[in-house]
Amino acid sequence: MSERKGLVLTSFLYSLQTMGYLQKISRVFRSLSAQLLFLTILFVMLAEVLIFVPSVAFFRLNYLDKKIEFAHLASLALLASPDNMVSKELKAELLFRVGARSVVFRSANSAMLMLSEDMPAVVDASFDLSERSSLKLIEDAAAALLVQKNRIIRVKSPIENAPTSSLEIVLDEAPLVAAMLDYAKNIFWLSLAISVVTAVLVFLSLHWLLVRPMGRLSASMIAFRRKPEDPKVNISPSGRMDEIGIAERELEIMQTRLRFALKQKQHLAALGTAVTKISHDLRNILSTSHIVSDGLAQLDDPRVQKVVPRLVASIDRAIDLCTETLKYGKAGERLPQKSRFLLAPLIKEVCDSVALPAGKNLQWDIRVSDKFTLCADREQIYRALLNLCRNASEALKDNGKICVAATSEQGISIIKVMDNGPGIPSMAMEHLFEPFVGSVKNGGTGLGLSIARELVEAHGGDLFVEKTDDKGTIFVIRLPD
């Protein structure tokens, strides 16, 4: 019993090993290299087949031409003998050397039997070698190979330099068919050898130029999929200038940018968690501030009464923002809750909320009609304009000015925030609206412009830079009315 169990276990392990080998062989045959090698051999063999058929046909023609040539020489030997008389043994020897049963010399007016066996043979087919068209020769060669019987054939051919004379021989077709088969066999093995050698050379060249680089690309993609955060898995471009080189360089760029994007997403996820925690505690602190501001609102001091409404509004906005952050648990914005409102008072609130740099002669230029209205989420538009104006104030130098203008064109509300600052550096323009990348000033996060554009796009609008140079910058908000 134990021996039987051991035998079964051994057979099972051997079968697993055999299956492993079969899987390896299967993978080899499914590879691009093996398919390329097989297709190269196949196509070269097909090309050889197209050459093989006419080649065999012309071999048959050369064979028969040589027979006619030998028959002509034998005829000349007979004509040179006295009275065209030779011995019976010599005739038999000449017929054997020619490989024919009979030889007939024909001129314009007569026919002469030069050589012949004692018993004339019955002719099965006749061929005229004066007809040398390719299709005719291929047809006759195919008939000789496919008939598969020992035919007796008559072959007629004109004599060179004697257009009115011809020779006609009767011979067995079997030796011709055997010679054609031997020739075809040699051509087949030669074609196969050429195909294999050509396929190996093409395979090696294409493997070096195409398959190996594709393998590097595939290996780099697989490694990047497994460990996208590891910079060592990036492909190193080979410096080639063809399509493979372009693919390598583009893959390296894609891997680098995708790794950066993944790190940025991780940064944003960690920041979102931190903001949620901070917002929770900050909301509690702001709630206390809100209670204190309510107490201040009850004082009779005119200066307090002037400041408190702005303070209360700012605290309310901060509490709402913290609440939204806690509600969603991320930096995403809620959908706009649109209503129609006057834009001028909103811009005045923005101006009051933006603290211009102290000690600088800066001024506001508001070019908004008192009757100009927007159909949008008032709180979100306030935040977008606040970010733009605060960025402008931080970029201004002495004698700076911030101008806010609003117009309407064909159902589109256009708001422009302009300043006469030094402009945005060209290196910052490419990633201007990307968080943690597009910051213009040192130590900035770039979140202001990113949030502003997100808020505007949520309304179906757009935020972009119309102009920036050493004379100033113009940001444009376009909102559908």
Side-chain angles (χ1 to χ4, degrees):
M1 181 67 69
S2 60
E3 293 180 357
R4 180 178 298 177
K5 290 182 179 179
L7 182 61
V8 171
L9 179 60
T10 303
S11 302
F12 178 70
L13 293 176
Y14 178 76
S15 63
L16 289 180
Q17 186 178 10
T18 305
M19 290 176 61
Y21 287 142
L22 292 177
Q23 290 177 355
K24 292 180 180 179
I25 295 174
S26 177
R27 282 197 297 269
V28 169
F29 280 102
R30 287 200 304 267
S31 66
L32 181 62
S33 303
Q35 295 178 22
L36 180 63
L37 181 62
F38 173 75
L39 289 176
T40 305
I41 294 176
L42 178 62
F43 292 151
V44 174
M45 288 298 294
L46 288 177
E48 291 293 340
V49 168
L50 297 178
I51 300 174
F52 170 78
V53 175
S55 177
V56 172
F58 281 102
F59 173 82
R60 174 180 176 276
L61 176 63
N62 292 332
Y63 182 93
L64 295 177
D65 280 339
K66 288 182 179 180
K67 292 295 183 182
I68 293 294
E69 184 179 349
F70 292 156
H72 188 204
L73 292 175
S75 299
L76 292 178
L78 287 175
L79 291 174
S81 64
D83 299 327
N84 296 336
M85 296 297 294
V86 295
S87 65
K88 187 176 181 180
E89 291 78 8
L90 181 57
K91 285 185 177 183
E93 181 69 18
L94 289 174
L95 281 175
F96 175 77
R97 295 299 178 185
V98 173
R101 290 177 177 265
S102 65
V103 177
V104 177
F105 177 81
R106 294 183 182 276
S107 61
N109 300 319
S110 63
M112 182 184 300
L113 180 63
M114 305 298 297
L115 296 169
S116 177
E117 293 179 339
D118 294 337
M119 294 295 294
V122 178
V123 176
D124 297 315
S126 298
F127 303 97
D128 190 349
L129 297 187
S130 61
E131 301 178 7
R132 292 177 179 255
S133 65
S134 300
L135 292 179
K136 177 63 176 175
L137 293 176
I138 292 174
E139 181 182 352
D140 293 341
L145 292 173
L146 297 177
V147 166
Q148 296 295 327
K149 72 175 183 177
N150 298 329
R151 295 190 303 178
I152 306 297
I153 61 174
R154 178 185 290 113
V155 180
K156 179 181 178 183
S157 176
I159 299 176
E160 190 176 358
N161 300 324
T164 59
S165 301
S166 64
L167 274 176
E168 186 178 288
I169 62 174
V170 176
L171 70 160
D172 293 294
E173 195 179 36
L176 171 59
V177 172
M180 291 171 64
L181 292 175
D182 289 340
Y183 177 78
K185 187 187 300 180
N186 294 333
I187 287 293
F188 170 77
W189 289 114
L190 179 62
S191 302
L192 183 60
I194 293 174
S195 301
V196 172
V197 172
T198 304
V200 170
L201 293 176
V202 172
F203 166 77
L204 292 177
S205 59
L206 291 182
H207 181 79
W208 180 263
L209 294 175
L210 183 62
V211 177
R212 286 183 67 253
M214 290 298 297
R216 290 183 66 240
L217 289 171
S218 301
S220 179
M221 292 178 185
I222 294 172
F224 184 81
R225 175 179 58 83
R226 292 174 177 173
K227 298 180 66 177
E229 71 282 353
D230 187 2
K232 295 180 181 179
V233 301
N234 268 28
I235 189 171
S236 298
S238 60
R240 294 172 54 167
M241 302 307 296
D242 54 7
E243 288 78 2
I244 294 294
I246 295 174
E248 291 174 345
R249 289 188 290 274
E250 291 299 323
L251 178 60
E252 183 191 29
I253 294 173
M254 183 193 70
Q255 289 173 336
T256 302
R257 291 184 176 177
L258 186 56
R259 180 176 297 106
F260 177 79
L262 289 174
K263 289 182 178 179
Q264 188 178 19
K265 294 294 184 182
Q266 293 173 356
H267 189 184
L268 289 173
L271 181 63
T273 303
V275 167
T276 302
K277 295 177 181 179
I278 294 172
S279 297
H280 180 271
D281 295 336
L282 184 59
R283 185 182 61 173
N284 296 333
I285 297 172
L286 290 173
S287 298
T288 303
S289 301
H290 194 278
I291 295 173
V292 174
S293 62
D294 289 340
L296 291 176
Q298 298 176 3
L299 298 178
D300 295 333
D301 191 335
R303 291 177 299 178
V304 174
Q305 293 297 327
K306 183 178 180 180
V307 173
V308 166
R310 290 165 51 190
L311 177 61
V312 171
S314 298
I315 293 175
D316 287 340
R317 289 193 180 98
I319 292 175
D320 291 341
L321 182 59
C322 292
T323 302
E324 291 296 327
T325 304
L326 289 173
K327 180 179 179 181
Y328 291 100
K330 57 182 181 180
E333 300 292 342
R334 61 174 173 80
L335 293 176
Q337 298 176 3
K338 297 183 180 181
S339 62
R340 186 163 294 278
F341 59 91
L342 294 173
L343 182 59
L346 178 66
I347 294 178
K348 186 177 184 304
E349 292 182 33
V350 172
C351 296
D352 293 337
S353 300
V354 174
L356 293 176
K360 294 184 180 180
N361 184 20
L362 304 178
Q363 56 181 331
W364 289 92
D365 181 10
I366 308 301
R367 303 176 186 175
V368 181
S369 171
D370 293 337
K371 297 181 180 180
F372 189 89
T373 60
L374 279 182
C375 183
D377 189 309
R378 191 178 191 279
E379 181 62 28
Q380 291 186 352
I381 298 301
Y382 168 84
R383 290 173 56 195
L385 290 173
L386 181 64
N387 282 321
L388 293 178
C389 293
R390 180 173 290 129
N391 286 346
S393 69
E394 293 173 352
L396 291 175
K397 298 181 179 179
D398 292 337
N399 299 319
K401 181 170 65 174
I402 300 177
C403 177
V404 182
T407 57
S408 180
E409 297 179 2
Q410 299 179 353
I412 301 294
S413 298
I414 301 174
I415 306 172
K416 294 187 178 182
V417 178
M418 300 167 278
D419 65 69
N420 59 351
I424 301 173
S426 57
M427 295 181 61
M429 285 297 297
E430 183 178 357
H431 304 284
L432 187 63
F433 294 97
E434 297 181 20
F436 306 107
V437 182
S439 177
V440 177
K441 64 179 184 296
N442 293 330
T445 62
L447 285 171
L449 291 177
S450 175
I451 293 173
R453 170 175 272 189
E454 182 180 353
L455 294 172
V456 172
E457 289 180 344
H459 287 75
D462 190 17
L463 169 61
F464 58 92
V465 179
E466 183 180 86
K467 182 183 76 70
T468 181
D469 53 28
D470 56 356
K471 296 182 180 179
T473 302
I474 301 177
F475 281 90
V476 179
I477 296 176
R478 292 174 58 88
L479 294 171
D481 193 3

